[in-house]
Each structure stands twice: as C-alpha cells, then as structure tokens.
Amino acid sequence: MTAGKLAARYELGLEHDRDYDGPLARFCDMLVDRDVSLPALRDFLRTDLPPERPDVHRILFLETAARLLGQKWVEDDCSFIDVTIATARLQEIIRGMSGEFRDIQLRPATPHVLLVCPAGEQHTLMLHLLALLFDALGWTHRLVDGRAASGPPLERAIEEADIICIGWSSEHLRGAFTDLVETIRRAAPDRQAPIVAGGFAALDCVDFLVSLGIDCICDSIYSASRICECFYEFRKASQQAPGHGRTAAGTAGNDWLVP
C-alpha cells in the first residue's frame, strides 16, 4: 500500500506532494542565491528532504526544482541569469552525485541505455538527470549530446544500446530530430531498440513522433525510466518465450523505485 502511494506521487511529480512544498521553495531560492555554496546545496539534499524515502527521490527532487524554475522564468518570476546560474549549479550537483552510485553492483545482463539529443540541442539538463537516475538504478548508459550526435561514434553507440532515450526541447530542431531517428534506424536495422522521447518539444509534437514510429513519449525522468524497464522486461520475456513454449507478455515487473 505504501509503495503504491509513493509510486503514484512520483508519477504525478513531487510538486504535487505537499511534503515537498517547503523543501522545494527553499531549495529553489538557494539555487539562485549566489551566497549559498554548492556544499550547502548538497547538504540540503541529504538532510532537509522528507525522511524514509528511496534514495532516488533526491534525483526526482532535482528534476522538480528545475521544472519549477523554468515555470518561474516563463511567468517572469525570475530572470534568465537566475535560471542560468541555477542550471549550472544543478549540473555540478549531478556530477557530484553520480560518484555516489558508481559502486552499485550491476545485475546480470544489465540493460544499456543510449541517451541522446538532436544535433543543435542545447537544453540537456533533464537528459543528465535521467542518466543519474539510471546510475542509481544500476543500469549502464552512454550520453551523447547534440554536438556529437552524428558519425561512426553515434552509430556504434546505437548498435550497443538496448533502449534509446531522446531528449528534445525545441521544435526548431524538428529536422535534426528526424535525421537522428533515421540514423538510429539505419545503424541497427536488424535489431530495433525501443525509442523513448521526452522534453518540451516532444510533448507538443505527439502526432509527429507517432508518425516517425517513436515507441513512447514521456513527461518526466521517472516515467521514462519506468517505461524503459517495461520495454526491457518485455524484450527479455520475448526472447525467452520460444525456448519455454509459451507466449511472452510484458509487465512493469517490480516497483524498483519504491521500498
């Protein structure tokens, strides 16, 4: 029961959980306050969030804080400089937290995810947060930003991936997004990895993405990670089914984000 309630909260977003109202407001203020140090921000994540939650809730908290700051900027409640400073600090926090999960024991046949964005994409914070979430879950991943989203290195990364996640924030990059999907299809024609897309542009262009054959469109790193788990479990079951003489069925498996 408790696990189910927590999972529902994470699916909605922490901004809809009253337990996080105070911490989110304080943390957003701290991010844009130049007198607050990075160690103080990291300490806040360890000591000031609601207790007895899974460790990954700190990552989801960072995502929610970034989303709230973006909304404040759109509503003219904070400046572009504030958002730029906050984004840079969030990137530093992400880099620092990634080291916490490097010693996680990988499962047998650990899934490998490619995280990529179209050439020219500049907004990659959420993709880095998703990478951090996969670190926490014990998955392996490779992140390719928009500057390197072409050529043989990208093609090799595509061939190695079990699942591909694309972050897309600007509709002006529609052509680059199409080129990226076509590259993915060409690089591994005999082993089509599921493609999950997310970002502001993705949510506004659902029909376009469906026409390209995108497998799923997600609105948060939590939903993206759970969908990736579903795809991986379904593929694993499908591969096992012929040997066991049964029809494969895909399920979400276990609730690995909750206790």
Side-chain angles (χ1 to χ4, degrees):
M1 179 68 73
T2 300
K5 288 181 178 178
L6 283 175
R9 287 180 179 180
Y10 292 146
E11 194 68 53
L12 288 172
L14 297 187
E15 64 266 47
H16 300 292
D17 186 336
R18 291 183 179 178
D19 290 344
Y20 287 89
D21 286 349
L24 280 168
R26 294 195 300 274
F27 190 71
C28 286
D29 289 341
M30 292 171 67
L31 281 171
V32 299
D33 187 342
R34 300 173 195 184
D35 292 329
V36 177
S37 66
L38 279 170
L41 292 170
R42 290 194 289 264
D43 287 343
F44 184 96
L45 294 173
R46 287 191 290 265
T47 62
D48 288 56
L49 299 189
E52 299 179 359
R53 302 292 174 92
D55 198 43
V56 295
H57 81 129
R58 290 184 294 149
I59 304 171
L60 305 181
F61 181 85
L62 292 177
E63 178 194 26
T64 305
R67 188 161 53 242
L68 291 177
L69 284 168
Q71 291 174 3
K72 287 186 176 184
W73 178 39
V74 170
E75 296 167 359
D76 291 327
D77 287 337
C78 67
S79 69
F80 177 76
I81 294 176
D82 286 338
V83 172
T84 302
I85 292 172
T87 300
R89 290 181 145 200
L90 287 169
Q91 292 277 21
E92 288 294 332
I93 292 170
I94 291 168
R95 279 192 283 271
M97 289 178 64
S98 65
E100 298 179 26
F101 306 113
R102 287 174 185 160
D103 294 330
I104 288 179
Q105 186 67 38
L106 297 180
R107 296 179 295 175
T110 298
H112 180 69
V113 183
L114 171 63
L115 305 165
V116 65
C117 56
E121 180 63 71
Q122 297 180 347
H123 302 285
T124 61
L125 179 63
M126 291 303 176
L127 213 57
H128 282 84
L129 278 168
L130 182 56
L132 183 61
L133 183 54
F134 281 127
D135 279 338
L137 298 174
W139 288 36
T140 63
H141 65 78
R142 180 173 180 181
L143 197 155
V144 178
D145 65 24
R147 293 168 296 181
S150 62
L154 174 63
E155 293 173 3
R156 286 195 294 271
I158 293 168
E159 292 170 358
E160 295 168 356
D162 295 303
I163 301 169
I164 298 171
C165 294
I166 306 177
W168 180 34
S169 70
S170 173
E171 194 172 344
H172 295 297
L173 298 176
R174 181 184 288 235
F177 186 97
T178 302
D179 292 342
L180 176 58
V181 174
E182 291 177 351
T183 299
I184 292 170
R185 302 301 190 203
R186 288 196 306 270
D190 299 325
R191 191 184 62 83
Q192 293 295 325
I195 302 176
V196 178
F200 289 119
L203 297 175
D204 289 338
C205 302
V206 173
D207 290 344
F208 166 69
L209 296 182
V210 170
S211 71
L212 289 179
I214 299 301
D215 295 283
C216 190
I217 303 163
C218 299
D219 61 356
S220 71
I221 63 170
Y222 177 83
S223 59
S225 59
R226 286 188 58 88
I227 287 296
C228 287
E229 176 84 353
C230 291
F231 276 130
Y232 182 73
E233 293 297 334
F234 179 78
R235 169 165 287 190
K236 188 165 63 173
S238 298
Q239 292 171 344
Q240 293 172 349
H244 292 79
R246 57 182 175 82
T247 301
T251 69
N254 50 24
D255 280 330
W256 34 258
L257 284 180
V258 294

